[in-house]
Amino acid sequence: MKETPAKPAVKKAVAKKAVARKAATRTAEKTAVEKAPVKKAATAKKATTKAAAAKTTAKTTAKTTAKKAAPARKPESRVAMVRRARRINRELAELYPYAHPELDFTNPFELLVATVLSAQTTDLRVNQTTPRLFAACPTPEDMAAVPPEQLEELIRPTGFFRAKAKSLIGLSTALRDRFGGEVPGRLEDLVTLPGVGRKTANVVLGNAFGVPGITVDTHFGRLARRFGWTTAQDAEKVEADVAEIFPKSEWTMLSHRVVFHGRRVCHSRKPACGACPIAPLCPSYGEGETDPEKAKKLLKYEMGGQPGQRLKPPADYPGQPARPLAAS
């Protein structure tokens, strides 16, 4: 039987289908080639992420293990703390045998005034300011009578001069009217004067009258907490806690030694731990710079070869006197 030839339209349709199949095959191959690197990169990225996570986990585990393995620090008993505290005091006494109040004064009234002025400023700035002040107002009677504007101008370098002038005129008037122009030698009397709190009263009692007192300023409070003598932030609570550790006869000089150390070595922001002679006794060692050479550069005043804060320091002071205001 003779084969019937295919129609032209049928042949054309078959040819189009063949071309379409070939094009689809090429497109599929191209897509596979393009996707392969992306898939490979994604796989590599995933592997890297997993490796980093594993490394972090390993570090955390190691730290946790080390922490668990480290022996727990035995809590310090009250007796041990008191012994360590008193040894710190002895060490500071050897380090600062010349410790003294860092305000220039010649009588109780001058010390009282200088201490009031020392709020929110340095003892150095007070010492640079008081020569002119005491020349103009040597007695409570003189200071009570001076015009406020004149007093403000005299004490301006110490800052907050309006509030301080008000306190000085108030306390001078009280001394004149209630105490016969004399500074009282009792804490309960001193704290009744305008601008005078326990800190100022203890400074005056300890250094002008020889009455033992603990002066809790910012330096003393900071070091008392770093030494583990107290955890209190309130000045009166700090004073009470420290008073239970040391005999009363040590209170005034202890205050000077601790304040000296706070100003020269155990600074607020960056203590010079690596240059601190009492570092072995300090539970807070390491809060500051521990490298000895770097720590030496942090020392201040006579410990760092710089002038002190008093224009007229005691005879046994090993450093240089401070410079007057005009020369600073």
Side-chain angles (χ1 to χ4, degrees):
M1 186 175 178
K2 192 174 179 180
E3 184 179 357
T4 304
K7 294 181 178 181
V10 174
K11 288 183 178 180
K12 191 174 182 180
V14 171
K16 280 184 178 181
K17 287 182 180 180
V19 171
R21 281 197 297 271
K22 287 181 181 181
T25 302
R26 283 197 296 269
T27 301
E29 290 175 351
K30 185 177 179 181
T31 302
V33 171
E34 289 176 349
K35 285 185 176 180
V38 175
K39 187 175 181 181
K40 188 175 181 182
T43 304
K45 185 177 180 181
K46 190 175 181 181
T48 304
T49 303
K50 284 184 177 179
K55 189 175 181 181
T56 302
T57 303
K59 282 184 178 180
T60 303
T61 304
K63 285 182 179 180
T64 304
T65 303
K67 190 175 182 180
K68 288 181 178 178
R73 188 171 183 176
K74 187 178 179 181
E76 187 177 40
S77 68
R78 172 73 182 180
V79 172
M81 184 276 286
V82 171
R83 287 176 178 170
R84 180 174 57 80
R86 293 184 178 184
R87 185 176 172 190
I88 286 176
N89 184 36
R90 292 194 297 272
E91 295 281 344
L92 290 178
E94 292 183 11
L95 183 61
Y96 307 111
Y98 51 88
H100 58 271
E102 295 191 271
L103 290 168
D104 288 328
F105 69 98
T106 60
N107 57 56
F109 176 65
E110 289 185 356
L111 179 58
L112 177 61
V113 170
T115 307
V116 170
L117 290 176
S118 69
Q120 305 297 316
T121 190
T122 63
D123 287 355
L124 171 59
R125 183 48 57 96
V126 174
N127 292 334
Q128 292 172 327
T129 303
T130 50
R132 285 181 60 217
L133 174 64
F134 294 144
C137 308
T139 68
E141 291 81 2
D142 295 322
M143 195 167 287
V146 71
E149 298 78 12
Q150 183 181 339
L151 186 58
E152 288 173 6
E153 193 58 34
L154 287 169
I155 65 173
R156 182 183 288 270
T158 67
F160 301 95
F161 55 90
R162 290 190 179 88
K164 290 179 181 179
K166 185 177 179 180
S167 293
L168 293 183
I169 291 174
L171 72 84
S172 297
T173 301
L175 291 177
R176 181 194 65 192
D177 297 344
R178 294 197 282 123
F179 298 100
E182 299 292 332
V183 176
R186 299 195 313 161
L187 187 142
E188 52 266 40
D189 292 329
L190 284 167
V191 295
T192 66
L193 301 174
V196 178
R198 287 186 66 90
K199 185 196 86 168
T200 298
N202 280 327
V203 169
V204 174
L205 290 173
N207 299 285
F209 293 100
V211 178
I214 296 172
T215 303
V216 183
D217 66 357
T218 55
H219 302 289
F220 191 97
R222 179 177 71 252
L223 268 64
R225 287 185 288 273
R226 282 181 177 171
F227 291 158
W229 299 351
T230 183
T231 58
Q233 295 291 332
D234 178 73
E236 288 193 29
K237 185 62 170 67
V238 172
E239 181 184 340
D241 289 345
V242 175
E244 292 180 356
I245 299 172
F246 299 93
K248 196 171 183 178
S249 59
E250 287 290 316
W251 290 356
T252 299
M253 287 310 300
L254 170 73
S255 299
H256 292 322
R257 294 163 190 154
V258 172
V259 171
F260 256 58
H261 196 62
R263 286 174 170 168
R264 288 151 177 76
V265 180
C266 196
H267 312 133
S268 176
R269 295 185 180 179
K270 199 168 185 181
C273 294
C276 180
I278 61 170
L281 299 171
C282 182
S284 299
Y285 174 79
E287 284 190 13
E289 180 59 65
T290 56
D291 180 86
E293 292 304 315
K294 292 180 180 179
K296 283 181 183 178
K297 296 178 181 179
L298 299 174
L299 300 178
K300 295 182 180 180
Y301 302 112
E302 75 280 359
M303 300 288 282
Q306 301 154 355
Q309 299 197 80
R310 293 188 66 168
L311 277 64
K312 298 177 180 179
D316 61 345
Y317 180 66
Q320 309 166 46
R323 293 181 289 272
L325 188 61
S328 61

